[in-house]
Every structure is written in structure tokens, then in C-alpha cells.
């Protein structure tokens, strides 16, 4: 599984460490909330709402440099819109991977 990284954030910041820290702080605040809403919707079988949650989470996946994981999330989002949970385990593994990474920052 690919590892989250800060390469994209660092490339956006142009070396501005304060900007990097601000962005990391925002992600660390928003990610757990968005993840919790996703789990609520998927457990309630609200697939359309869960697809919207995945769509939002895709941005954080991208920001943390997870290119292949972004594609997995995009496929899963599409499946949810078709009322299929194919890809759920892979997507939730990505969320766990991101959670563990953000806890180290």
C-alpha cells in the first residue's frame, strides 16, 4: 500500500512552513469528522450520501500524495452511486492508512 506523504503540501507551500502547518492542521481537524460522517452513512446504507463523503475525502487523499488510492476512491465513489459497495474494504484501508499517518504529524 502506498504511504501518505507531504510532498504535495510542500510543493504548494514554496517552503512556507507556516502555510504547511496551517494546511496540516486543517486536514487533521476535518479528516476525522469527514471519516465519521462517511462511516455513519455507509453503515446506514445511505449510499448516495456516502458517495458524497468519499468525494470530499478524495481531496485529502490527493493532498497526502496518494495517487493510486485516489483512483481506488474514485472507483468506489462511482460504485456507491450504483448502490454497490465494491471497493469498500480497499477504501477503508486507505482511511486507516491516512489516520495512522496524520497521528504521527
Amino acid at each position: 500500500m502506498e504511504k501518505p506523504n507531504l510532498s504535495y503540501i510542500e510543493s504548494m507551500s514554496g517552503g512556507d512552513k507556516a502555510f504547511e502547518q496551517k494546511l496540516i492542521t486543517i486536514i487533521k481537524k476535518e479528516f476525522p469528522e469527514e471519516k465519521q460522517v462517511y462511516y455513519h452513512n455507509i453503515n446506514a446504507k445511505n449510499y448516495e450520501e456516502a458517495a458524497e463523503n468519499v468525494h470530499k475525502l478524495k481531496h485529502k487523499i490527493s493532498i497526502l500524495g496518494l495517487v493510486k488510492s485516489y483512483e481506488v476512491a474514485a472507483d468506489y465513489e462511482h460504485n456507491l452511486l450504483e448502490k454497490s459497495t465494491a471497493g469498500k474494504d480497499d477504501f477503508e484501508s486507505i482511511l486507516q492508512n491516512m489516520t495512522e499517518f496524520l497521528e504521527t504529524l
Side-chain angles (χ1 to χ4, degrees):
M1 178 173 279
E2 63 187 330
K3 302 251 185 247
N5 60 74
L6 301 177
S7 299
Y8 181 73
I9 292 173
E10 291 166 353
S11 71
M12 279 187 356
S13 74
D16 183 343
K17 295 297 180 193
F19 175 79
E20 290 175 15
Q21 193 54 54
K22 189 174 193 178
L23 195 51
I24 291 166
T25 299
I26 291 168
I27 292 169
K28 287 177 77 170
K29 178 185 182 296
E30 290 179 352
F31 177 72
E33 296 167 1
E34 291 174 5
K35 185 175 74 168
Q36 182 179 6
V37 173
Y38 158 76
Y39 278 113
H40 170 78
N41 283 322
I42 200 66
N43 291 333
K45 297 185 178 5
N46 296 331
Y47 298 131
E48 194 169 314
E49 290 89 346
E52 290 176 20
N53 303 139
V54 172
H55 184 78
K56 278 185 171 179
L57 287 160
K58 281 191 322 190
H59 298 292
K60 290 178 178 60
I61 290 169
S62 173
I63 288 170
L64 292 179
L66 298 168
V67 177
K68 291 178 184 157
S69 297
Y70 182 91
E71 293 171 17
V72 169
D75 289 343
Y76 180 50
E77 177 186 5
H78 174 77
N79 292 341
L80 286 170
L81 291 171
E82 300 292 321
K83 305 224 183 308
S84 166
T85 58
K88 178 179 183 285
D89 290 343
D90 290 338
F91 179 74
E92 291 178 2
S93 291
I94 293 164
L95 295 181
Q96 183 60 37
N97 192 18
M98 291 171 64
T99 299
E100 290 169 7
F101 176 72
L102 291 171
E103 288 171 351
T104 68
L105 298 179

